[in-house]
Amino acid sequence: MKSTREKVPVIDTDIHNNLPSPESLHPYLSERWRKHQAMIGGRGHAGSNYPRGMPHAARHDAWPPSGLSPGADLAFMQEQLLDAWDFEYGVLNPLMGGSGLNLEYVAAIARAINDWQVEEWTTPEPRLKASIVVPYEDGELAAEEIHRRGEDPNFVQALLIARTDEPLGRRKYWKMYEAATQYDLPIGIHFGGTGAGPITGAGAPSYYIEDHGGMPQAFQTQVISLVCEGVFERFPTLKFVLIEGGFAWFPPLMWRLDQSWKKLKEEVPDLKKLPSEYMKEHFWLSSQPVEEPPKREYFDLLLEQLNARERLMFATDYPHWDFDAPDRAFPTSLAPDVKRRIMADNARELYKL
Amino acid sequence: MGMENEKLSFVTAGLPVIDCDLHNRIPPLEMLYPYLPDYWCDHCEESGFFGPDANDYPEGAPTSTRPEIMEPSEDRPQSDLALLREHALDPWGIEYGVLTCAYRVQSVHNEDLAAALASAVNDWQIEHWLDPEPRLRGSLIVPSQNPELAAKEIERLGDHPGFVQVMLPVRSQAPYGNRRYHPIYTAAGRHDLVIGIHYGGAPGLPPTSVGWPSTYLEEYVGMSQVFQAQVLSLVSEGVFDLFPSLRVALIEAGFTWMPSLMWRFDKEWRGLRHLTPWVKRLPSAYIREHMRMTLQPIDGPPTAEQLLQIIGQLDSDDFLMFSTDYPHWHFDSPEEAFPAKLPTSLACKILSENAREFYRL
């Protein structure tokens, strides 16, 4: 079997690049914000600590020999990830800079991170494409950054973090969506964040397994909100990528939303069709972390219910501890055409690579 | 609009039926005055306080009230209990019905008042529902925001044969695995009561992990995420090893999301169990052993065949318990209320046997 296996192209839709140090942004920040960074720094919704069991939530072998932190050393990322697995492309999702209490500062940091990504990542390594970090808690500031980078081929999407201050369908975010549609840029919603309140609708849990295992709750809320607020009627070409949120919850949410909408649709007259129709049309999902049912046939059924052939995109989540390797990510053997689409074609089409 | 007996017997084929989610209407505050100490009656009167508020069930929403209740009718029975008999107990031939009174004392931040209101509503339930109707069983309302006071209420009425569970609204100030709730579980265990975690609640915190949604539809659909948080919490905090006889019913939660949660949770546990070493088994094993879910609302896929698939993915015939969720409107015909194509043995389990065992009926 092994000798006849076809080589399938791979695009990794979730790679995390990191700053070598906070000072790495200095060349990209004005004097005012350099001073602010030194004096105050980023202030967020503190008080939501869930220690993650390993520094930087990283694979133990992802610490570069250079002494930099995981994801901060391009040469080592090339060696350990891009070359080792022969990736066609990789999408960078820097997990920093998009949120905070001082929105002007957040906007300055987001600009700096984007400039740093072009200079130090996508220019020296053309296999890498970047996500536009945006100050997403302010729709207008986020739109400004999208306008600044929307036509730049180094970038393939705008990036938000799943636990926002408010559900993403609310009006304060609409300017950002308007800008994204102008450039036909998908919006990636990535695992993480603390939001403005407890990280669940039942208050603050105690452990990292609840934080990490509970992240689909935030993703589900965002999908519900975006659909019910009529965002896709207002922005019919808007596309979202749900990154590292899992995907097994997606079909049951379609069913639940449809059932409930049938009874309550008078409350949301902007919706012109079944909620699941919007979900099928406007959302893509990254694969990692893959839910693993106890039986293979459950997983096969899930892929079918999800329309995985068209909507699932492979991701490693490098350099994090729950890394998925391309040859071992799925608990079932995918049909060859489905595999090609999930491993690369879907991402190539969506991101126009 | 009343359901016809013939159709119903076609669905259940004369099988025993236990309904695990019947709502008795929330009483206006004046109805509780006979059960409240004078001090609190005066306090409420002076304050113009109308009782706990919650957004759980807007009265005009179709999900809250079946159309036959909304329609005015001259020969309609006057009392709520008579309505419940006519619309639910009699046509379904219900052997036992578990009342889930959605009285949200958790929204009252004066904990002594919350406790007094809980005691009053429980005494009211005994007099107006449990005593006159032997088919009914009740859920104890407790001021769960103060577990010591909640435990006192459980001790006060836990031996009353009419009460079979303690009701906790799924929305809470802290997830129910948190050790602050241990007094509730100790008391419930002493009286062999189920913990019923039920749709809704008003703890004063947002109902999602990302703040307040705009519409009721979002809150309603999103309640299943709050249940997910509670399941993660109860298992991750090791509650079921500390209280091995604890039984938790997830009521009005939907259930089709549960397989996906178990798959993810089991995988998380494999990677992260060193951080919660007291969780000794796969999370799904605790869930299947200690938890049950009620049937309605069925947040099901479009076809009956797909519904059978997802029920199969629960990997347990013991897990679902029948409910109509009366008077909330989820189905029109009885055929819609129950997945009729189930194998008879599983149908029997869901219709009554699972609940009989779980609630010791």
Side-chain angles (χ1 to χ4, degrees), chain A residues 267-278:
Chain A
E267 190 193 15
V268 287
D270 288 345
L271 303 200
K272 304 291 184 234
K273 51 191 175 188
L274 281 171
S276 61
E277 297 295 318
Y278 296 103

Side-chain angles (χ1 to χ4, degrees), chain B residues 25 53 109 133 167 184 343:
Chain B
R25 196 188 295 254
D53 75 347
H109 294 274
E133 178 47 81
M167 175 99 132
I184 293 179

Side-chain angles (χ1 to χ4, degrees), chain A residues 165-167 170 199 202-204 206 209-210 212 217-218 220 225 229 255-256 263 267 290 292 295 298 301, chain B residues 62 172-175 209-210 214 216-218 220-221 225 228 230 233 237 253 264 267-268 299-300 315 329:
Chain A
D165 288 2
E166 294 183 48
R170 289 175 66 85
I199 62 168
S206 305
I209 192 171
E210 299 169 79
H212 191 273
Q217 293 157 32
Q220 291 169 74
S225 171
E229 296 262 18
W255 308 332
R256 182 173 173 86
K263 287 283 186 287
E267 190 193 15
V290 175
E292 292 178 27
K295 294 178 188 162
Y298 295 174
L301 186 62
Chain B
S172 57
Q173 286 180 355
S209 39
V210 301
S214 309
Y216 179 64
L217 173 59
E218 292 166 76
Y220 183 84
V221 175
Q225 284 89 71
Q228 292 160 24
Q230 299 292 12
S233 172
E237 300 261 7
R264 170 145 189 160
K267 183 170 176 173
E268 296 275 343
D299 41 7
D315 277 326
W329 185 26

Side-chain angles (χ1 to χ4, degrees), chain B residues 40-347:
Chain B
W40 291 117
C41 294
D42 292 347
H43 179 87
C44 293
E45 285 279 308
E46 281 171 15
S47 319
F49 180 59
F50 296 110
D53 75 347
N55 290 334
D56 293 340
Y57 302 112
E59 269 197 40
T63 39
S64 305
T65 316
R66 295 190 61 84
E68 60 261 33
I69 302 170
M70 302 288 267
E71 282 169 15
S73 158
E74 282 188 7
D75 55 355
R76 181 155 107 183
Q78 288 308 300
S79 82
D80 288 342
L81 175 57
L83 264 184
L84 184 80
R85 284 178 180 136
E86 180 182 309
H87 288 150
L89 294 178
D90 295 341
W92 281 95
I94 288 170
E95 185 183 348
Y96 295 107
V98 181
L99 291 173
T100 48
C101 186
Y103 201 63
R104 304 307 187 203
V105 298
Q106 293 80 10
S107 78
V108 179
H109 294 274
N110 178 333
E111 291 174 348
D112 293 313
L113 175 55
L117 289 169
S119 296
V121 83
N122 290 330
D123 290 339
W124 169 83
Q125 291 198 90
I126 292 173
E127 187 168 339
H128 290 268
W129 298 87
L130 303 179
D131 281 351
E133 178 47 81
R135 286 173 289 184
L136 290 176
R137 295 292 180 271
S139 304
L140 279 172
I141 304 305
V142 295
S144 49
Q145 68 270 52
N146 183 320
E148 307 290 338
L149 291 176
K152 263 172 92 174
E153 181 64 7
I154 296 169
E155 295 297 350
R156 187 176 78 90
L157 288 177
D159 282 339
H160 188 287
F163 288 106
V164 292
Q165 75 183 343
V166 175
M167 175 99 132
L168 301 180
V170 70
R171 290 177 57 198
S172 57
Q173 286 180 355
Y176 289 129
N178 193 292
R179 68 192 65 181
R180 78 182 67 174
Y181 297 108
H182 287 180
I184 293 179
Y185 304 141
T186 302
R190 197 152 32 225
H191 301 278
D192 202 23
L193 297 169
V194 167
I195 297 293
I197 299 181
H198 190 281
Y199 171 98
L205 292 175
T208 87
S209 39
V210 301
W212 296 91
S214 309
T215 61
Y216 179 64
L217 173 59
E218 292 166 76
E219 181 171 324
Y220 183 84
V221 175
M223 206 61 75
S224 58
Q225 284 89 71
V226 193
F227 278 96
Q228 292 160 24
Q230 299 292 12
V231 172
L232 289 172
S233 172
L234 285 162
V235 173
S236 301
E237 300 261 7
V239 171
F240 298 118
D241 280 315
L242 289 167
F243 301 93
S245 64
L246 186 64
R247 296 152 10 240
V248 175
L250 307 177
I251 304 167
E252 216 180 309
F255 63 86
T256 61
W257 49 266
M258 182 52 103
S260 67
L261 182 75
M262 290 196 281
W263 304 339
R264 170 145 189 160
F265 200 2
D266 283 354
K267 183 170 176 173
E268 296 275 343
W269 177 79
R270 288 192 178 98
L272 294 173
R273 62 184 162 175
H274 61 293
L275 297 177
T276 53
W278 49 85
V279 182
K280 296 190 177 65
R281 294 183 287 151
L282 277 174
S284 61
Y286 289 101
I287 293 170
R288 287 198 194 89
E289 183 177 331
H290 292 274
M291 296 186 179
R292 298 289 178 269
M293 300 182 91
T294 62
L295 192 67
Q296 290 289 344
I298 299 181
D299 41 7
T303 72
E305 192 202 344
Q306 291 169 315
L307 182 61
L308 291 183
Q309 286 170 339
I310 197 83
I311 289 175
Q313 289 180 358
L314 291 167
D315 277 326
S316 168
D317 286 353
D318 303 328
F319 200 65
L320 293 177
M321 305 191 296
F322 178 74
S323 66
T324 59
D325 191 20
Y326 174 88
H328 303 157
W329 185 26
H330 304 301
F331 51 85
D332 292 312
S333 72
E335 285 88 346
E336 286 177 65
F338 189 74
K341 286 185 181 168
L342 291 175
T344 311
S345 63
L346 179 55

Side-chain angles (χ1 to χ4, degrees), chain A residues 16-29 68-74 77 92-96 108-124 130-131 133 145 148-149 154-155:
Chain A
H16 301 297
N17 48 342
N18 200 1
L19 292 169
S21 80
E23 289 77 42
S24 308
L25 289 183
H26 277 187
Y28 311 99
L29 285 171
L68 294 177
S69 58
D73 184 326
L74 173 59
M77 183 190 286
L92 295 173
N93 292 318
L95 299 180
M96 49 197 171
I109 290 288
R111 276 194 301 273
I113 290 172
N114 294 330
D115 294 350
W116 166 79
Q117 292 197 93
V118 172
E119 190 70 24
E120 309 199 19
W121 294 86
T122 57
T123 301
S131 302
V133 174
E145 188 60 13
R148 204 172 69 90
R149 287 294 187 183
N154 289 294
F155 295 92

Side-chain angles (χ1 to χ4, degrees), chain A residues 132 142-152 155-157 175-186 237-239 350 352:
Chain A
I132 308 173
E144 267 179 39
E145 188 60 13
I146 291 173
H147 287 307
R148 204 172 69 90
R149 287 294 187 183
E151 277 168 354
D152 183 337
F155 295 92
V156 293
Q157 69 184 349
K175 288 280 182 205
M176 170 167 62
Y177 304 147
E178 191 178 65
T181 54
Q182 193 175 326
Y183 306 97
D184 198 25
L185 272 180
T237 59
L238 189 59
K239 303 180 182 82
L350 177 71
K352 300 178 187 141

